[in-house]
Amino acid sequence: MTVTTAWALLIALSAASTLLAASGLQGAAFTVAVLVLAGWKSRLILGRYLGLAVAPVWQRGFDWILALVLILFAVLALAA
Amino acid sequence: MTAPTPTRPQDQPSVLDSLPGELMMWVLILSELAVFGAGLAAFLAVRITDPAGFAEAQTHLHRTGAGINTVVLVTSGWLAALAVQAAEAGRKVRLRGLLALASALGVVFLVLKGSEYADLARAGIGFETHAFFTFSYLLTGFHAAHVIAGILLLGLVGALATPRAVETGAAFWHMVDLVWVLLFPVVYLL
């Protein structure tokens, strides 16, 4: 995947976040969907912009960190 | 026939060698992620004590402007990534043009952010109006400070125009982008 393809995907995912917010969807489904989109965008930035895609060991490490952070966010958001 | 020379451990590539770019930049990226991650987790933890107050306070933010700012920053990051490729190809004029455009989008981000702060101030909303605003001002203000630092850094590495400098400057800019991608949904959408 080129950085230009990654950028196009990031724009599409950002549009999806905005549409999701405008849809009026609420609750757990909204929270999880928004955070999944954020995780996907973060992974693209790490992998394609910062070049971790060529270092699979490091990409996996960052995937784990990202997943744990987003799960923590989801748990705290859903507890409110 | 000669026996194969045994490979010494110090000759084998370390896992750190596979990490793209400067090691210290990755240490900085991880540190910043930890700081902003802790701040966002604290924001969500305090929200548990007053979900209605946080929801009401959130309506005063510029959600559309923040969405546009996401597009602005990821596009700016794309231009910085293209500048790294131009630097590796030895195309200095192109890399400087791309970094100038990336910086200009950074300024656009700050203008949109500034208009949100100005509207909040006009509405009499300050740092101590509600816990939501204490956190949102701290988190977005600290992020905006990184955007300003990133713009200055892009200008510096554009002047140096070496592949290593441009890669390091772009990595900082991508970190700013990455933090915003995590901050935006937590502060503006949830």
Side-chain angles (χ1 to χ4, degrees), chain A residues 55 57-58, chain B residues 12-24 26-27:
Chain A
V57 172
W58 289 99
Chain B
Q12 293 175 354
S14 114
V15 71
L16 284 177
D17 294 330
S18 66
L19 194 59
E22 291 286 330
L23 175 61
M24 284 315 292
W26 283 102
V27 171

Side-chain angles (χ1 to χ4, degrees), chain B residues 26-27 45 61 67 97 104 178 180 182:
Chain B
W26 283 102
V27 171
L61 298 185
L178 180 61
W180 179 257
L182 293 170

Side-chain angles (χ1 to χ4, degrees), chain B residues 55-168:
Chain B
E56 197 283 324
Q58 193 187 55
T59 62
H60 294 278
L61 298 185
H62 288 187
R63 186 181 270 187
T64 306
I68 292 168
N69 261 347
T70 306
V71 172
V72 166
L73 271 194
V74 298
T75 302
S76 180
W78 169 59
L79 294 169
L82 291 178
V84 173
Q85 293 178 353
E88 287 164 352
R91 301 175 64 184
K92 288 191 177 182
V93 173
R94 179 174 163 79
L95 85 82
R96 285 179 173 142
L98 288 164
L99 289 179
L101 285 173
S103 300
L105 287 178
V107 172
V108 170
F109 177 92
L110 291 172
V111 168
L112 286 173
K113 198 84 209 80
S115 82
E116 180 183 67
Y117 287 157
D119 280 353
L120 288 172
R122 269 194 292 273
I125 295 170
F127 199 74
E128 294 178 353
T129 303
H130 187 273
F132 175 91
F133 294 109
T134 309
F135 276 101
S136 68
Y137 273 124
L138 271 176
L139 291 164
T140 62
F142 192 42
H143 178 264
H146 282 74
V147 174
I148 293 167
I151 290 169
L152 296 174
L153 188 59
L154 290 182
L156 177 66
V157 300
L160 295 171
T162 63
R164 188 177 172 185
V166 175
E167 186 180 30
T168 304

Side-chain angles (χ1 to χ4, degrees), chain A residues 3-4 7 11 14 21 30-31 34 38 41-42 45-46 49-52 55 57-58 62 65 72-73 76-77 79-80, chain B residues 15-16 18-20 26 30 37 40-41 44 47-48 70-71 74-75 77-78 82 85 171 174 177-178 181-182 185 189-190:
Chain A
V3 290
T4 300
W7 167 74
I11 296 295
S14 301
F30 175 72
T31 299
V34 160
K41 283 186 273 187
S42 302
I45 291 167
L46 283 164
Y49 282 6
L50 280 160
L52 278 189
V57 172
W58 289 99
F62 272 87
I65 293 169
L72 174 66
F73 287 176
L76 290 170
Chain B
V15 71
L16 284 177
S18 66
L19 194 59
W26 283 102
L30 269 176
L40 291 169
L44 289 170
R47 192 178 81 137
I48 296 170
T70 306
V71 172
V74 298
T75 302
W78 169 59
L82 291 178
Q85 293 178 353
H174 297 320
D177 197 357
L178 180 61
V181 160
L182 293 170
L189 301 183
L190 293 182

Side-chain angles (χ1 to χ4, degrees), chain A residues 9-30:
Chain A
L9 259 175
L10 282 164
I11 296 295
L13 293 170
S14 301
S17 294
T18 305
L19 287 175
L20 203 58
S23 71
L25 184 69
Q26 289 183 331
F30 175 72

